[in-house]
Amino acid sequence: MVVGEATQSFFRDTWVEVDLSAIEDNIRGVKELYQDKEMTIMAIVKADGYGHGALEVSRAALDAGATFLGVALLDEALKLRKGGIDAPILVLGRTRPTDVQLAVMHNISLTVYQLDWVEEAQKHLQPTDTLKVHMKLDSGMGRIGLREKKEIDEIIEALSASNTIKLEAIFTHFATADEQDLRYFQEQYQRFLTMLEWIQAKGITVPYIHCGNSATALRFPDKTFNMIRFGISMYGLTPSLEIKAELPFQLKQAFSLRCRLTHVKKLPAGEAISYGATYRTTEDEWIGTLPIGYADGWLRYHASNGGYVLVEGEEAPFVGRICMDQCMVRLPKKFDVDTVVTLIGKDKGNEISMDDVAVRLNTINYEIPCVIGPRVPRTYYRQKELVSVKNIK
Ligand code: PMH
């Protein structure tokens, strides 16, 4: 692997590197965890694969043993189909009942949790259509899903009577599976079991039952039924810092963010840097300019709380405000223009992890790659070999 080798395929010196081998290893790791059990792995690739690239991540995940994909929106599912993915896909959010024909045409499973949705959807289906749905139960996340016995009974009745809608799964989502305090998780799990009993009492059986996000899948393999929805840890990231030490295998972070210095200059003491002139040099300082800014999702907060980058393994702190397309760092010494800078990832024995960056921004690791915008090209590696590049069209 030559760092920055893909930069001939686009025309800016900022890029993401996605290590597809890391994604594959993370999938294989969880598969091994379930080697004694029948378990379907749904790879969660919503939000363009948490900013990594949904199509490329999907292919890698499917190669490594995932057999189902999960997205948030019908548009995201259609984009995967357009990209040639034919694996089963579930849309986790609400799809308009008027759009069900598209889901049928492209063999996309939808999430259902409203009786009037079922009634409306049927009006948009032909008698020969089969729409696969996963019924969402709200066991305590408070987001979407059925809660009451009466509404569950009613929807089960409507689905049983339907010739066009087929119940493929029942699922729920946990709010606190990544916490040390497991009381609320246990409560949600118990509620889910009770709801499942209500449904089973009606003689209903379904191919899949699922409730396991990464935290549940990695910590509680005995509570995941026969499908897991594996998101953040497929990307090699811990679901939370408080459970990082107890993960059952070493996750491999797939995402790195790099750029090249576009300008290097020596300034004497007392010179100002960037908008608002909030930073002033205190002695002779080497200042480097980076071609990335808040319009790329490199938000202004990155310059706070001791934010820094790595230049040939050495730390260089941000100075002054981050601009729309550029920002500045104080270099430990003179470096040449075009020197590679690491904003997230490993560099010569040093590392800025996604967790480091998230802590600096007072947020969670999930958010960081999601907000690195499409203006930053994604370059894909397998076994350290460059395999493809995705850039804005
Ligand atoms: N299932 C559903 C319904 C989800 O919303 C998510 C993640 C996952 C599975 C995967 O979870 P994991 O990434 O922890 O493995 N959803 C979100 C969310 O809405 N905000 O942050 C993560």
Side-chain angles (χ1 to χ4, degrees):
M1 173 176 179
V2 181
V3 172
E5 66 190 309
T7 44
Q8 289 89 354
S9 1
F10 42 86
F11 304 101
R12 70 175 300 187
D13 278 327
T14 302
W15 66 95
V16 166
E17 288 162 12
V18 177
D19 181 357
L20 296 173
S21 300
I23 288 173
E24 290 162 2
D25 286 350
N26 296 327
I27 290 278
R28 285 192 204 105
V30 80
K31 216 173 138 74
E32 209 173 296
L33 193 65
Y34 286 98
Q35 60 188 339
D36 301 329
K37 201 174 159 183
E38 190 77 15
M39 183 57 63
T40 297
I41 302 172
M42 179 190 287
I44 303 299
V45 294
K46 60 191 181 145
D48 201 20
Y50 292 32
H52 294 61
L55 206 50
E56 293 77 4
V57 170
S58 295
R59 290 191 193 116
L62 293 167
D63 273 356
T67 53
F68 225 109
L69 300 170
V71 293
L73 315 170
L74 181 58
D75 295 275
E76 293 179 321
L78 292 172
K79 195 167 169 198
L80 292 177
R81 286 284 179 261
K82 224 172 169 177
I85 301 275
D86 54 16
I89 305 176
L90 171 65
V91 177
L92 294 159
R94 185 182 195 266
T95 304
R96 298 180 201 132
T98 45
D99 292 335
V100 291
Q101 209 29 257
L102 269 175
V104 171
M105 252 166 66
H106 295 279
N107 189 27
I108 294 163
S109 304
L110 300 182
T111 293
V112 58
Y113 52 91
Q114 290 155 331
L115 180 62
D116 54 357
W117 187 98
V118 172
E119 289 163 354
E120 182 64 24
Q122 288 185 107
K123 294 183 196 157
H124 296 271
L125 293 169
Q126 305 300 320
T128 53
D129 286 343
T130 304
L131 173 70
K132 289 182 229 163
V133 296
H134 292 214
M135 189 165 92
K136 182 77 183 272
L137 303 179
D138 181 5
S139 56
M141 175 74 183
R143 194 164 62 177
I144 54 173
L146 297 143
R147 298 177 72 103
E148 306 296 330
K149 182 167 190 306
K150 183 168 171 289
E151 52 178 4
I152 293 172
D153 284 350
E154 283 170 357
I155 207 163
I156 286 287
E157 224 158 274
L159 290 173
S160 302
S162 173
N163 293 318
T164 48
I165 305 184
K166 185 170 150 246
L167 191 57
E168 185 177 44
I170 298 170
F171 75 115
T172 197
H173 192 55
F174 295 125
T176 61
D178 61 346
E179 292 184 5
Q180 284 299 336
D181 183 340
L182 290 170
R183 282 172 297 184
Y184 193 66
F185 171 79
Q186 297 290 4
E187 199 178 317
Q188 266 198 273
Y189 184 67
Q190 287 308 321
R191 274 206 222 174
F192 185 47
L193 290 182
T194 303
M195 289 165 144
L196 289 175
E197 277 168 22
W198 296 339
I199 296 164
Q200 276 151 5
K202 292 185 155 296
I204 305 287
T205 54
V206 288
Y208 300 108
I209 296 177
H210 51 100
C211 63
N213 54 2
S214 295
T216 312
L218 295 175
R219 302 175 81 195
F220 312 111
D222 61 330
K223 292 193 168 55
T224 48
F225 301 88
N226 62 350
M227 179 184 271
I228 55 169
R229 303 190 306 273
F230 201 52
I232 196 69
S233 297
M234 170 174 65
Y235 303 98
L237 302 174
T238 182
S240 72
L241 290 178
E242 60 185 286
I243 63 160
K244 197 169 181 172
E246 59 173 273
L247 295 176
F249 59 93
Q250 184 78 46
L251 298 171
K252 296 183 181 167
Q253 181 176 314
F255 188 104
S256 304
L257 175 63
R258 300 190 212 273
C259 65
R260 289 180 191 275
L261 290 171
T262 51
H263 193 46
V264 177
K265 60 185 175 284
K266 190 178 182 181
L267 292 181
E271 292 298 322
I273 304 288
S274 197
Y275 287 113
T278 55
Y279 180 80
R280 281 193 187 263
T281 52
T282 55
E283 55 187 329
D284 278 1
E285 293 182 20
W286 285 102
I287 302 296
T289 304
L290 317 184
I292 183 169
Y294 64 75
D296 298 306
W298 197 254
L299 307 174
R300 282 167 50 130
Y301 307 107
H302 281 284
S304 337
N305 300 329
Y308 67 92
V309 297
L310 297 174
V311 190
E312 303 206 328
E314 293 190 60
E315 295 183 12
F318 290 105
V319 288
R321 288 185 185 152
I322 288 170
C323 312
M324 189 183 289
D325 321 292
Q326 305 180 74
C327 56
M328 276 65 79
V329 295
R330 189 177 68 233
L331 299 168
K333 60 179 195 243
K334 181 178 187 290
F335 283 97
D336 293 334
V337 165
D338 282 341
T339 303
V340 172
V341 173
T342 299
L343 297 104
I344 303 171
K346 291 185 177 148
D347 186 359
K348 296 224 160 79
N350 212 336
E351 182 178 12
I352 300 173
S353 71
M354 200 72 81
D355 291 332
D356 295 335
V357 176
V359 166
R360 183 202 299 165
L361 260 68
N362 196 20
T363 184
I364 52 170
N365 53 18
Y366 292 70
E367 200 175 59
I368 306 296
C370 280
V371 303
I372 300 301
R375 203 171 71 158
V376 182
R378 267 58 172 177
T379 65
Y380 294 93
Y381 287 81
R382 180 171 284 108
Q383 308 292 4
K384 301 199 188 303
E385 290 285 321
L386 178 68
V387 290
S388 63
V389 175
K390 186 175 80 156
N391 193 17
I392 40 171
K393 289 284 173 328

